């Protein structure tokens, strides 16, 4: 396996990062649990809110997915705590897998003001499948959808 990258200042190979979409997501007071960190169910909602401007707005080739897309798999790993004062969260996203009817979005979530290369507090992935609401069946991604998603694909 060949790694793509260059030597960093410490003499180690720095792997090339896939293109990433970055967005900020505000933490609401109601997102906190009794331990004063973001509740798991609310973190899943914040991830959903993060992908809306990237994938589901009308100006995106993937806008149709906003009206017909199902979540097939979800994984969330917590590497550190996030609290209300860490808002707005910096969420970076890219495509880690792209297939005929589905794709997987990878996420890294960091507190506001943290360096982009700092260890993320949350690492997650969601597998999303294109779905036809009228027929109640999975559908193939269109060429435009695939082309847009391929721009963000980690190789």
């Amino acid at each position: 396996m060949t790694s793509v990258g260059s030597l960093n200042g410490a003499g180690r190979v720095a792997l090339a990062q896939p293109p990433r979409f970055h967005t900020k997501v505000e933490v609401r007071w109601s997102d906190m649990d009794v331990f004063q960190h973001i509740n798991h169910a609310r973190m899943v909602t914040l991830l959903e809110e993060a992908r809306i401007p990237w994938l589901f707005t009308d100006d995106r080739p993937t806008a149709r997915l906003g009206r017909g897309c199902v979540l097939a798999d979800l994984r969330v790993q917590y590497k550190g705590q996030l609290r209300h004062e860490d808002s707005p969260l910096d969420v970076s996203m890219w495509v880690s897998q792209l297939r005929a009817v589905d794709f997987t979005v990878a996420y890294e979530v960091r507190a506001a003001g943290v360096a982009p290369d700092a260890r993320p507090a949350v690492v997650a992935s969601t597998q999303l499948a294109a779905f036809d609401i009228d027929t109640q069946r999975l559908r193939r991604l269109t060429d435009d959808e695939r082309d847009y998603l391929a721009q963000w694909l980690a190789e």
Side-chain angles (χ1 to χ4, degrees), residues 4-149:
V4 177
S6 59
L7 290 178
N8 65 16
R12 288 179 255 160
V13 173
L15 296 178
Q17 294 289 327
R20 295 180 178 206
F21 184 88
H22 286 264
T23 192
K24 303 288 186 191
V25 178
E26 293 289 333
V27 177
R28 295 169 294 267
W29 187 253
S30 61
D31 294 334
M32 309 311 293
D33 65 16
V34 70
F35 302 109
Q36 297 305 303
H37 57 250
I38 299 174
N39 173 280
H40 171 72
R42 297 300 188 132
M43 178 54 69
V44 170
T45 299
L46 293 170
L47 294 173
E48 179 182 21
E49 290 174 7
R51 69 179 175 259
I52 289 170
W54 179 37
L55 299 174
F56 303 137
T57 58
D58 288 339
D59 62 334
R60 305 283 187 212
T62 49
R64 180 177 171 202
L65 292 170
R67 296 178 294 281
C69 187
V70 294
L71 182 71
D73 187 60
L74 167 71
R75 297 168 193 262
V76 183
Q77 297 177 344
Y78 297 93
K79 308 294 185 179
Q81 290 190 44
L82 289 169
R83 299 172 181 264
H84 189 266
E85 58 264 21
D86 294 324
S87 189
L89 301 178
D90 177 53
V91 182
S92 63
M93 297 167 283
W94 65 96
V95 175
S96 62
Q97 184 176 44
L98 179 58
R99 301 188 311 180
V101 300
D102 66 354
F103 60 100
T104 302
V105 175
Y107 306 80
E108 290 182 346
V109 182
R110 293 176 177 82
V114 173
D117 60 348
R119 181 176 175 228
V122 174
V123 176
S125 67
T126 53
Q127 180 187 10
L128 302 168
F131 192 76
D132 185 313
I133 297 294
D134 295 331
T135 64
Q136 291 294 296
R137 296 187 188 280
L138 294 176
R139 67 167 178 82
R140 295 182 77 78
L141 293 165
T142 66
D143 288 342
D144 286 345
E145 289 168 338
R146 287 186 56 75
D147 290 347
Y148 179 74
L149 294 168

